[in-house]
Amino acid sequence: MFKLLKTTYQSLSRGEKKFIFWLILIALFISSLPVLYGWISTPAGFYYPGFTVIAGADKMVYLSQIAEAETGQIFLHNLYTAEAARALIFSPVWLVLGWFAKLTFLSPLFVFHFFRIIFGGLFLYLLYLLIAKCFKEVIFRKIVFFIFCFGSGLGVFALNYPWSDDNIFITFGTDMWVSEGNTFLTIYHSPLFILSQIFILLIFWWLIERLDKAGWLKVLGVGLATLLLGIFHPYDLVTVYSVAGVWLLAGFIREKRIFWLRLVKILMIILISSLALAYFFWLKSVDPSFAGWAVQNITLSPGFFNFAIGYGLVFVFFLFGIIPAFKKRDDYWFFLAIWATVGWFLIFAPLPFQRRLANGLHLPMALIAVLGLSLVLRFLAKFQVWQIWAKLYFVRVSLLMVGGFLLTTSTIYVVGQDLLLLEIKSFPYYLSDNIYQGLCWLKDNTLKSELILTNNVTGTFVPTLAGRKVWLGHGHQTSDYVDKKSYLENIFFAGNKGDGQKKAWLKKTGIAYLFYSNENKNLSGNFNPFQKDYLELVWQEGQTAIFKVKAD
């Protein structure tokens, strides 16, 4: 496989190699603009935590796991729920990043983005090599690569404020919020999604090129690679198994014979990698915190319209290219057509994590879309009017500008909204120094086993910066999140009475400390911790205070 990649790269012209280098550099720079601006423009008395509009809370979970791995842990806790008593989570991506942070003395946030950039560059490089195997014409190679680097859909034209769950599922294009949905958002999101798509890409590429020729040792190696993918991003096993299975069956039908050796090799890969599923089923049975997460990890897909507008022009030209891709007597195009078709079925399959199965779907969609574009241009070339128009400089420039604009508007919007929110300097995009110092106090003066109470937003940062467990902190990671959030907002913090019941509840839940900050109004209602005899003030700076729950 490495020889194939090397040969493909060597076949590229010098101009193509320069084009690849500069587009990758520009794409990675644009994807890093918010974090660079956030760091550089941090005002005095504030701390930049790396929070973003899209999946900001998820990134705090990743950073908490990097920070915990940095302390020497191999198996990690879910620090976002009280039920996580044992460290049983094996997360190899964050484990390696944590070890790297420990060796280099770099912050988890820096390490997170450092590997996002490294993996992002490698991913885009591999994508261009795949493009080169599909298209002979350099112009079409460059168009596909531009789409991978910067492309989005038309979601920005369907925005319907406010930004709410209802509006997201009714009108928002997936290019505005589904990080797995297009390649730029994947690179913008995290090292996790990038690495998962690198694995999917290489596994599928190996199936196309090497399945028939590979010996059993190499099949074992691919099985182990798929196992690793299943451990750090298990949803992708559904994609790998489904696409490989349908591709195998379609190949039998196309060739009118059964390839038993192919079947056995793919079954061997599935058997080895299914150990990841066995691990997660076991984890669910022994770890209440993981079981709670599994129950709440509902990531349903929005409607067909949301995906169609989220892919925009890519979807339009995909419709022109999908049938020709199936008809081509080419292994690459046949596999890509299977991948895209199966992918569309998977995102609406009756599974609680439908949306996760969009991971990587943009790759075959974009390639087939540009195939469709090439066929449309070839058809138009038959007409004399088009031949005349196509020669006009104004027409060509206008088409490029309109196409470029429609392909990048949502990308510009997504990056721009993060920059705008950073410019406002508001919570949670920046933490005041008082809040940050309070979190540092928790890290230095409390035990890892002690449970912290605060609201859901501030609770997002406690595991990340203090390395401590919170009672409430993340919509999926916190067991019974909705009920817990409702109890805090409507009962515990809603009024300043009922202290007997509140004291008993704190003791029952095992909460050791209350983190309070009036700066971001993190405790709603009229609850005043300074007036409670069952809470002892142990640290205060400005409007931020930490209270210890008294033993009796």
Side-chain angles (χ1 to χ4, degrees), residues 90-94 191-200 225-236 276 279-280 359:
F90 182 63
S91 186
V93 175
W94 309 127
L192 180 67
F193 284 6
I194 301 170
L195 193 61
S196 68
Q197 290 195 30
I198 289 175
F199 269 68
I200 293 171
T226 311
L227 169 62
L228 180 58
L229 170 64
I231 290 173
F232 75 78
H233 207 239
Y235 317 101
D236 295 332
Y279 161 70
F280 285 111
N359 195 37

Side-chain angles (χ1 to χ4, degrees), residues 282-491:
W282 169 81
L283 188 60
K284 184 179 177 181
S285 68
V286 300
D287 185 354
S289 70
F290 184 81
W293 169 83
V295 169
Q296 294 181 154
N297 188 32
I298 308 298
T299 51
L300 299 178
S301 294
F304 176 83
F305 166 81
N306 303 76
F307 277 100
I309 200 167
Y311 287 118
L313 290 183
V314 167
F315 178 76
V316 172
F317 286 103
F318 168 80
L319 297 177
F320 288 103
I322 183 63
I323 293 177
F326 269 114
K327 290 182 176 179
K328 272 179 171 284
R329 301 298 295 181
D330 180 279
D331 291 339
Y332 280 84
W333 286 112
F334 184 68
F335 191 98
L336 290 169
I338 295 288
W339 183 0
T341 304
V342 172
W344 274 96
F345 279 99
L346 289 178
I347 58 178
F348 298 112
L351 294 168
F353 49 85
Q354 298 169 321
R355 193 166 71 243
R356 301 295 186 201
L357 302 179
N359 195 37
L361 181 56
H362 187 243
L363 307 184
M365 286 280 296
L367 284 158
I368 293 171
V370 176
L371 173 64
L373 173 64
S374 69
L375 295 174
V376 169
L377 292 175
R378 189 180 303 169
F379 174 77
L380 292 175
K382 297 177 182 179
F383 299 95
Q384 189 174 4
V385 173
W386 175 258
Q387 293 174 11
I388 296 172
W389 282 3
K391 292 178 181 178
L392 297 175
Y393 178 78
F394 172 76
V395 172
R396 283 154 50 187
V397 170
S398 298
L399 288 174
L400 283 173
M401 290 180 66
V402 171
F405 174 75
L406 294 177
L407 282 170
T408 60
T409 45
S410 293
T411 298
I412 295 168
Y413 182 91
V414 166
V415 176
Q417 73 177 345
D418 274 328
L419 290 171
L420 178 61
L421 289 167
L422 287 169
E423 177 62 28
I424 296 172
K425 305 290 189 295
S426 63
F427 180 85
Y429 301 95
Y430 286 101
L431 305 181
S432 73
D433 193 54
N434 290 340
I435 292 176
Y436 176 67
Q437 292 302 326
L439 295 175
C440 291
W441 187 93
L442 286 176
K443 183 177 182 179
D444 295 335
N445 296 276
T446 62
L447 301 176
K448 289 184 178 181
S449 58
E450 291 181 311
L451 185 62
I452 313 300
L453 176 66
T454 185
N455 80 335
N456 61 306
V457 181
T458 309
T460 302
F461 300 103
V462 174
T464 304
L465 298 173
R468 296 297 178 263
K469 197 163 46 173
V470 290
W471 192 74
L472 179 71
H474 189 278
H476 289 165
Q477 302 286 335
T478 301
S479 298
D480 301 319
Y481 175 83
V482 174
D483 291 340
K484 288 181 177 179
K485 184 172 182 286
S486 176
Y487 175 79
L488 287 187
E489 292 180 352
N490 300 318
I491 299 177

Side-chain angles (χ1 to χ4, degrees), residues 8 21 34-35 43 72 105 109 114 214 255 270 273-274 293 325 343 354 405 409 412 420 438 477 499 534 538:
T8 306
F21 173 80
V35 70
F105 302 101
L109 182 59
F114 176 78
E255 301 298 331
I270 291 174
S273 58
S274 64
W293 169 83
Q354 298 169 321
F405 174 75
T409 45
I412 295 168
L420 178 61
Q477 302 286 335
D499 289 324
Y534 50 88
V538 293

Side-chain angles (χ1 to χ4, degrees), residues 196-223:
S196 68
Q197 290 195 30
I198 289 175
F199 269 68
I200 293 171
L201 175 64
L202 291 176
I203 290 166
F204 284 168
W205 203 343
W206 183 88
L207 291 178
I208 297 169
E209 282 282 351
R210 292 290 183 261
L211 181 62
D212 291 334
K213 308 167 191 175
W216 294 107
L217 192 60
K218 291 184 178 179
V219 175
L220 173 63
V222 174

Side-chain angles (χ1 to χ4, degrees), residues 30 106 172 185 204 306 350 380 394 452 510 528 539:
I30 292 174
L106 297 169
F172 277 37
L185 287 185
F204 284 168
N306 303 76
L380 292 175
F394 172 76
I452 313 300
N528 189 343
W539 181 90

Side-chain angles (χ1 to χ4, degrees), residues 17-28 145 150:
K17 292 175 182 176
K18 285 185 177 180
F19 176 79
I20 297 169
F21 173 80
W22 284 110
L23 240 65
I24 289 177
L25 195 64
I26 295 169
L28 294 177
F145 196 57
F150 310 108

